Amino acid sequence: MRAGITSLVLVAVIQIAPATAHAVDFLTPDQAIVNSGRVQFEKNCARCHGADATGGTADTKVETVKAPDLTGLAKKSGGTLPLWEVYEVVSGSKVLAEHRTRAMPIWSEELAKARGINKENKEAIVRGRILAILAYLSTIQEK
Ligand code: HEC
């Protein structure tokens, strides 16, 4: 009987836990992934969003819109980085607010231009790169 109650309690805890935990645990991403994301960020994003991602001056050769601060994305969303929303913005599958023109490159295309990517693996590699960048961004969000 005691074992029965214990397992009932366990089942209850397991069912309650997902509601209180973060939907995606990007709080403690693997350091190697974060490091590769930082490298990708420095190569592809820093020139517009700033080396520390706090927003940049416009790359006037490309456009005149000032790139936004990317360290406040979690704060803007109630404390959790909205991973898949941001993913879609970066990959280009989500068009940004209507009143804005798309000044930002479509990264699913840009990151696929790298040399040495064979066609079959292209999508997987690009997804991995974007996710690594997001893992890095998740570590530099303001509280
Ligand atoms: C050529 C400049 C430029 C580069 C390079 C660039 N961005 Fe942007 N980004 C912008 C601008 C400008 C905006 C504001 C929206 C717009 O006008 O398109 C933006 C918006 C965003 C947003 C939405 C922010 C919000 O507040 O909702 C995210 C996320 C983002 N960029 C991530 C990235 C990442 C990650 C990279 C690198 C892979 C990158 N950007 C590279 C210019 C750039």
Side-chain angles (χ1 to χ4, degrees):
M1 191 57 201
R2 189 169 283 172
I5 290 171
T6 309
S7 47
L8 260 184
V9 169
L10 257 181
V11 167
V13 167
I14 288 166
Q15 282 176 345
I16 291 166
T20 53
H22 288 273
V24 177
D25 180 16
F26 248 17
L27 295 177
T28 48
D30 187 289
Q31 196 55 44
I33 297 175
V34 171
N35 291 343
S36 92
R38 181 186 301 116
V39 170
Q40 289 292 329
F41 183 89
E42 283 163 2
K43 260 201 220 158
N44 302 296
C45 322
R47 76 182 158 92
C48 289
H49 289 281
D52 59 358
T54 57
T57 49
D59 179 340
T60 46
K61 269 188 241 143
V62 183
E63 41 35 53
T64 50
V65 189
K66 188 174 176 290
D69 179 359
L70 299 180
T71 64
L73 295 172
K75 206 174 184 182
K76 257 187 359 195
S77 262
T80 307
L81 186 68
L83 179 68
W84 300 116
E85 252 173 62
V86 178
Y87 183 97
E88 288 180 344
V89 170
V90 177
S91 77
S93 57
K94 181 176 169 183
V95 180
L96 291 161
E98 275 174 59
H99 60 276
R100 287 173 168 176
T101 51
R102 173 124 196 155
M104 194 161 116
I106 309 271
W107 285 103
S108 53
E109 290 166 10
E110 296 297 319
L111 294 177
K113 283 181 192 157
R115 284 176 51 186
I117 294 186
N118 89 30
K119 249 197 210 154
E120 280 161 41
N121 294 331
K122 199 162 100 171
E123 271 190 20
I125 290 171
V126 169
R127 283 194 194 114
R129 286 182 177 172
I130 295 177
L131 284 171
I133 292 170
L134 295 186
Y136 165 61
L137 289 179
S138 78
T139 65
I140 57 167
Q141 293 301 302
E142 308 169 24
K143 294 283 170 332

